[in-house]
Amino acid sequence: MVCKIKKRKNILPFTKPSISQAEIREVTDTLRSGWLTTGPKTAKFTNQFKKFAGAKHAIALNSATAGLHLAYTTAGIKPKEEILTSPLTFCATANCAIHAGTGVNFADINIDTLNIDINAINSAVKPKTKIIVPIHFAGLPCDIDAIKKIARKNGSLVIEDAAHATGAEYKGKKIGSLSDMTVFSFHANKNLTTGEGGMITFNNPIYKERLEILSFHGINKNAFKKYKNRAPYDFDVEEAGFKYNMLDLQAAIGLHQLKKINSFNKRRREIAQKYICAFKN
């Protein structure tokens, strides 16, 4: 017996990025330039995103998962310490704590916002809680001031998982400029995509050198800096780092996506409002 399967039309795809000719031209230009890996376009995209987020520093990476792993590691978390985060998140938030050699604890969500609940944080936080990791679910910012207050009292850092929150604002300030470190995702289903990719933003310069070193094999100088300075290609490997750098091919897409992020977010709000209206009862 042969079963015939009807092809369904008009299926909503899980992800369908908005890619224009500008992104395509930029990628083509990158391919023709001969510089495909981390180079001038990654540097340009990093600088533009840093300004957009209102942060003093930024590191472009090949994924937000890489960003979370680097952020936890750079924070100096130890095996007997833990991160405290929301259970309503993608597995990378917790997985990266395991990769960093530490534990994970969860504080429940607020049912109205789907963000981590402040009272639950207060109940769950412990002396060994090294990092509190709020997730801005669906781009809705958590109560950062309240979370930072708890963190200061406990001696913890705040690292925001802002995978959903590019362009979101909290009390008039962009997400990315408020906490110890903030990690963004540029996966294909995000409101700004580079295919795959991520970014860490931060204000404290103490994190900058170690994040840069850890993101590229633990090497103290990267190839792009050598190229700019026309210096001999020699370097020191200072510690066992990772291969987390962003490619110019990814950054080429991001440069034009960033120009359209405000219109992308406006359109998402319009669509969300349609769902809110349709299902209000």
Side-chain angles (χ1 to χ4, degrees):
M1 179 180 174
V2 178
C3 296
K4 292 184 178 180
I5 300 173
K6 290 184 178 180
K7 291 184 178 180
R8 291 183 294 169
K9 296 180 180 180
N10 302 321
I11 297 173
L12 287 172
F14 172 66
T15 172
K16 189 177 181 181
S18 296
I19 301 295
S20 71
Q21 285 300 315
E23 286 93 331
I24 293 168
R25 283 193 297 268
E26 197 74 48
V27 169
T28 302
D29 178 72
T30 305
L31 291 169
R32 288 173 174 158
S33 75
W35 197 303
L36 308 186
T37 185
T38 309
K41 290 187 180 178
T42 302
K44 184 177 180 181
F45 178 53
T46 303
N47 190 51
Q48 289 184 2
F49 191 88
K50 173 183 70 177
K51 291 178 180 177
F52 170 79
K56 293 180 180 178
H57 305 284
I59 305 288
L61 304 163
N62 59 18
S63 70
T65 301
L68 289 165
H69 187 200
L70 285 186
Y72 299 164
T73 303
T74 300
I77 198 161
K78 297 178 176 62
K80 291 184 179 180
E81 296 174 329
E82 67 180 21
I83 72 160
L84 176 62
T85 191
S86 165
L88 188 59
T89 180
F90 188 61
C91 57
T93 314
N95 284 354
C96 289
I98 306 302
H99 295 322
T102 192
V104 183
N105 189 18
F106 294 105
D108 210 348
I109 61 166
N110 179 305
I111 196 64
D112 294 321
T113 65
L114 304 185
N115 283 334
I116 194 167
D117 185 80
I118 301 304
N119 292 327
I121 296 175
N122 269 315
S123 299
V125 73
K126 304 171 185 175
K128 68 176 182 178
T129 304
K130 174 75 174 183
I131 307 169
I132 299 174
V133 187
I135 290 94
H136 307 301
F137 195 85
L140 177 66
C142 297
D143 189 344
I144 294 298
D145 285 347
I147 293 168
K148 286 169 70 174
K149 185 177 180 180
I150 297 169
R152 282 194 299 268
K153 185 177 179 181
N154 196 60
S156 308
L157 298 177
V158 176
I159 296 175
E160 298 171 52
D161 184 333
H164 295 183
T166 300
E169 293 186 358
Y170 175 78
K171 295 184 177 180
K173 291 185 177 180
K174 283 282 197 318
I175 294 297
S177 63
L178 303 169
S179 300
D180 294 288
M181 288 180 259
T182 306
V183 180
F184 295 90
S185 173
F186 306 138
H187 182 269
N189 66 356
K190 299 302 190 294
N191 50 342
L192 182 159
T193 186
T194 58
E196 290 279 3
M199 189 82 69
I200 304 179
T201 60
F202 52 99
N203 293 324
N204 191 337
I206 196 170
Y207 300 128
K208 188 173 188 295
E209 184 175 3
R210 186 142 196 261
L211 283 169
E212 287 181 338
I213 289 170
L214 281 176
S215 70
F216 194 70
H217 297 294
I219 293 172
N220 66 346
K221 295 177 181 177
N222 65 41
F224 183 57
K225 289 178 181 176
K226 286 284 187 179
Y227 177 81
K228 285 199 302 184
N229 298 328
R230 298 185 181 276
Y233 193 72
D234 62 324
F235 51 80
D236 293 321
V237 180
E238 299 185 356
E239 60 181 301
F242 309 96
K243 187 67 170 66
Y244 284 165
N245 53 302
M246 177 177 277
L247 312 180
D248 267 22
L249 280 169
Q250 294 169 299
I253 302 170
L255 285 167
H256 294 279
Q257 290 276 296
L258 186 58
K259 293 176 183 177
K260 297 181 281 189
I261 186 63
N262 290 332
S263 63
F264 286 167
N265 285 345
K266 180 176 181 290
R267 179 59 181 148
R268 286 192 173 211
R269 284 192 294 270
E270 290 170 354
I271 293 169
Q273 193 57 46
K274 289 180 183 293
Y275 278 93
I276 291 167
C277 182
F279 297 106
K280 64 184 178 181
N281 296 323

